Amino acid sequence: MTADELVSAYLAGLERADVEAVLELFAPGAIVHSPLYGPKPATEFYPELFADTSRSRLTLLGVTNGRTQQGARLIAFWFHFDWRLPSGAAAPFDVVDLAELTEDGRIATLRIVYDTVNVRPVFERETGTSWRPGEDHS
């Protein structure tokens, strides 16, 4: 699968809140690092995200290819996430996802990078939860 095909499949599944379609793109044991949810197995992250989503519209802004320092394939994709929480409250943001891929082209690690200054207050009010880097929630 090319980078463009992977990103297209990922964003389509994310926009539809299709857990199965999204998880097909991930390797077993894959981890997602999120500014709002913290690090979680992909199998836990997406059901939780979709439970906190009433609607989303995604607009792809760019895709780049590269390698990690260890030589693994790395895809970065930049997109606008028009996220609506269960109440319909708007929590939009621009985001860059960094997907480190396995040799067979599946996502091993996904690092989600965006500024949460405007999103975090809406999210915390809506969900009644908070997470900050460095906090232990295990």
Side-chain angles (χ1 to χ4, degrees), residues 15-85:
E15 192 168 71
R16 291 189 319 268
D18 186 336
V19 172
E20 187 175 308
V22 170
L23 291 179
E24 285 179 5
L25 303 171
F26 284 80
I31 301 293
V32 175
H33 298 266
S34 165
L36 290 178
Y37 295 88
K40 291 184 179 266
T43 55
E44 294 176 21
F45 174 76
Y46 289 99
E48 192 171 333
L49 172 66
F50 296 154
D52 290 336
T53 302
S54 67
R55 181 177 63 87
S56 61
R57 295 213 191 284
L58 308 176
T59 305
L60 182 62
L61 302 170
V63 177
T64 62
N65 285 284
R67 298 261 173 209
T68 67
Q69 290 294 355
Q70 296 74 31
R73 190 168 157 215
L74 183 68
I75 298 172
F77 45 105
W78 172 35
F79 60 101
H80 179 75
F81 195 147
D82 184 7
W83 189 28
R84 302 298 165 154
L85 299 170

Side-chain angles (χ1 to χ4, degrees), residues 58-138:
L58 308 176
T59 305
L60 182 62
L61 302 170
V63 177
T64 62
N65 285 284
R67 298 261 173 209
T68 67
Q69 290 294 355
Q70 296 74 31
R73 190 168 157 215
L74 183 68
I75 298 172
F77 45 105
W78 172 35
F79 60 101
H80 179 75
F81 195 147
D82 184 7
W83 189 28
R84 302 298 165 154
L85 299 170
S87 69
F93 54 93
D94 286 343
V95 57
V96 174
D97 282 4
L98 300 168
E100 186 176 332
L101 306 183
T102 61
E103 288 186 21
D104 68 355
R106 296 172 78 193
I107 301 169
T109 303
L110 185 74
R111 296 181 189 282
I112 303 170
V113 182
Y114 61 93
D115 186 345
T116 64
V117 70
N118 295 320
V119 175
R120 186 174 297 284
V122 176
F123 174 78
E124 289 179 353
R125 269 194 312 275
E126 183 88 10
T127 64
T129 61
S130 66
W131 179 85
R132 301 282 192 284
E135 291 181 2
D136 183 10
H137 289 270
S138 51

